[in-house]
Amino acid sequence: MRDEARALFRSALLDAAEREFAERGFHGARIQDIARRARVGVGTVYNHFTRKEDMLLELVRQRMSEASRAFGPREGDPADFEGRFRARFGRMHAYLAAHEAFFRVACDFSFFDGDAAAAAAILREPFAESDVHAELARQTRELIAEGIAEGALEPGDPIELERFLTGAMRVLASMALREGGDTGRAFDLTLTLFLRATRRSAPERREP
């Protein structure tokens, strides 16, 4: 029961921090305001987190982990590769869209731009981007490998293709967030262009 209560308090604090960061910005948010929003004392916050930087890092890790779970395969996914591909990325985008305010804050600090130095400057400690993205990258590579094995995609290196896909998606989605654009459109455009570039062509028929 004690561990369960601690987990509930920690989750409530992170939810409060997410809303506070989104409304006031990371630098404008204060531990006192996060405590007030979570309806706990300031001491309770410090029982779980030493600094608000720790809360930001935990939020990034937690939200990306949850996005990775949303991306995972499900029993009801379409049998065809393209349908399955779009369904899984669609679920991930739906999760990110539900937490768009927070991801907008995270993008402001380059957590998703591959700029570890910028993130480390905010956290005041090294930021290992691979800790946040490794599982999602692994799942994406496996999905691409499925497409190649099924003959839906041209043969290629799943690692290189994953880097190309997620890099393009990261840039377009980050730009949409910063400019107030439509992240769903950015995701769909990225998926469409990726599939168009990698889709396996039907073999040409030779005339008898």
Side-chain angles (χ1 to χ4, degrees), residues 23-82:
E23 289 181 14
R24 300 177 184 270
F26 176 75
H27 294 297
R30 302 183 306 166
I31 293 291
Q32 301 96 302
D33 297 323
I34 293 171
R36 174 188 50 77
R37 190 182 283 269
R39 298 182 179 180
V40 300
V42 172
T44 300
V45 179
Y46 286 113
N47 285 337
H48 293 266
F49 300 99
T50 304
R51 311 170 302 154
K52 66 178 181 179
E53 288 86 355
D54 298 329
M55 302 180 83
L56 178 62
L57 181 58
E58 181 62 21
L59 271 170
V60 171
R61 287 174 172 160
Q62 186 181 99
R63 296 301 184 241
M64 287 305 297
S65 177
E66 291 169 354
S68 179
R69 285 197 293 273
F71 181 71
R74 295 185 183 175
E75 188 175 342
D77 284 342
D80 67 291
F81 173 75
E82 183 166 339

Side-chain angles (χ1 to χ4, degrees), residues 106-127:
C107 280
D108 286 343
F109 295 122
S110 301
F111 277 98
F112 309 128
D113 290 349
D115 187 356
I122 297 300
L123 298 172
R124 293 182 290 176
E125 64 182 51
F127 172 70

Side-chain angles (χ1 to χ4, degrees), residues 122-165:
I122 297 300
L123 298 172
R124 293 182 290 176
E125 64 182 51
F127 172 70
E129 186 190 17
S130 59
D131 291 345
V132 179
H133 300 91
E135 177 60 18
L136 187 56
R138 183 190 67 78
Q139 289 191 65
T140 304
R141 290 168 187 173
E142 288 184 353
L143 180 59
I144 290 172
E146 289 175 16
I148 294 171
E150 293 171 18
L153 302 180
E154 289 285 355
D157 184 348
I159 294 177
E160 291 181 349
L161 292 174
E162 177 271 323
R163 288 173 178 168
F164 171 77
L165 172 61

